[in-house]
Amino acid sequence: MEAAAEPLRSVRRLSRVLLFLSQCYILSGDGSLNLEHSQPLAQSIKDPGPTRTFTVVPRAAENKLLSHLTESTEIPPYVMKCPSNGLCSRLPADCIECATNFSCTYGKPVTFDCTVKPSVTCVDQDLHPQRNFIINMTCRFCWQLPETDYECTNSTSCMTVACPRQRYPANCTVRDHVHCLGNRTFPKLLYCNWTGGYKWSTALALSITLGGFGADRFYLGQWREGLGKLFSFGGLGIWTLIDVLLIGVGYVGPADGSLYI
């Protein structure tokens, strides 16, 4: 029995020696390499790195910001009419704002305090920048101005040669350099005064020379009367004489209702 137990004891002693040697190997530093290599890996996994913060802007706030930036950089449309660095007193009416007073006496000279609108630059008589100034004008409303001070729309659908003379409703706008009280755009009834290119001298010459064949009526666009004169030989001369008188005084005009040139 003792002879059989002796090899078992030798194996146990050998295993203890191997265990002791392995511990010494680890403690000597050669076995710590695995730990040193594993620490940076663990650290790289745990370290999240520098953090970044993102701010979410609501859609309504973003639209409001964009509209504000657009308004701040947008040029007002009236700036195109305003000369840069010119005299403030000569600026068009669309470039200034005046404290008008409707209680002034019609037709009398009056002065008003005015201020240039934003984005408009002007100077005084000494070429110094100016914002507030005084203008001199005549006390009257815009619709009371003479016809040379405003422009109106034309109509080609009314008869200029009629009795009584026809009028048409037009929209009129005051010229830029003219100052007045009230609205600068106003409606007004005007006489028909458009032309289609017909010449009075040509119509009269045709009536005298070829009126018996209705050439004057054909020229004016009145083909029914022209056919009547053609087949009646000018009404045996009587119609021809009457047309010469009517065209001469301007009573008979173009068929489209326009004026002679």
Side-chain angles (χ1 to χ4, degrees):
M1 294 292 292
E2 292 180 0
E6 188 66 24
L8 182 60
R9 292 174 183 171
S10 299
V11 173
R12 290 179 178 177
R13 290 174 184 173
L14 182 59
S15 62
R16 289 177 182 176
V17 172
L18 293 175
L19 180 60
F20 176 77
L21 292 176
S22 63
Q23 291 178 356
C24 292
Y25 176 78
I26 294 173
L27 293 176
S28 64
D30 295 336
S32 64
L33 293 174
N34 294 332
L35 295 176
E36 292 177 0
H37 287 292
S38 62
Q39 288 179 358
L41 180 59
Q43 183 178 2
S44 63
I45 295 175
K46 294 180 181 180
D47 188 8
T51 58
R52 297 181 180 178
T53 304
F54 298 93
T55 303
V56 179
V57 180
R59 178 63 64 179
E62 182 181 357
N63 294 336
K64 184 177 181 180
L65 178 61
L66 291 175
S67 62
H68 177 72
L69 293 176
T70 304
E71 292 177 358
S72 61
T73 58
E74 185 179 359
I75 300 176
Y78 58 80
V79 176
M80 303 301 296
K81 299 182 180 180
C82 308
S84 179
N85 296 325
L87 292 177
C88 295
S89 58
R90 296 183 179 179
L91 285 175
D94 293 336
C95 305
I96 61 178
E97 294 179 349
C98 300
T100 57
N101 183 9
F102 294 160
S103 62
C104 58
T105 304
Y106 173 76
K108 299 294 183 180
V110 65
T111 59
F112 293 121
D113 296 328
C114 300
T115 304
V116 295
K117 291 184 178 180
S119 303
V120 179
T121 58
C122 62
V123 296
D124 56 8
Q125 296 291 341
D126 298 328
L127 302 181
H128 297 305
Q130 190 179 26
R131 300 293 300 175
N132 302 318
F133 59 98
I134 296 176
I135 63 169
N136 300 317
M137 56 180 291
T138 303
C139 180
R140 57 188 172 187
F141 288 96
C142 294
W143 59 270
Q144 296 173 325
L145 291 171
E147 295 182 358
T148 55
D149 290 341
Y150 55 82
E151 297 177 348
C152 300
T153 57
N154 291 325
S155 175
T156 59
S157 59
C158 60
M159 299 290 292
T160 58
V161 182
C163 186
R165 291 185 61 186
Q166 291 186 1
R167 296 173 179 260
Y168 70 97
N171 291 325
C172 303
T173 303
V174 181
R175 299 184 186 274
D176 293 336
H177 66 280
V178 179
H179 299 281
C180 56
L181 301 177
N183 296 327
R184 300 185 61 81
T185 301
F186 53 90
K188 197 166 187 177
L189 286 176
L190 300 178
Y191 286 110
C192 298
N193 58 353
W194 64 284
T195 178
Y198 296 96
K199 292 184 178 181
W200 173 82
S201 58
T202 302
L204 182 61
L206 290 174
S207 181
I208 295 174
T209 57
L210 300 174
F213 301 99
D216 51 353
R217 295 282 183 166
F218 284 123
Y219 172 74
L220 296 176
Q222 302 175 7
W223 58 272
R224 293 185 180 88
E225 291 81 355
L227 290 176
K229 292 182 68 175
L230 176 62
F231 291 110
S232 64
F233 299 103
L236 300 179
I238 300 176
W239 194 350
T240 301
L241 294 177
I242 295 176
D243 274 355
V244 170
L245 295 176
L246 295 179
I247 294 176
V249 298
Y251 185 81
V252 173
D256 57 5
S258 62
L259 292 174
Y260 289 114
I261 296 179

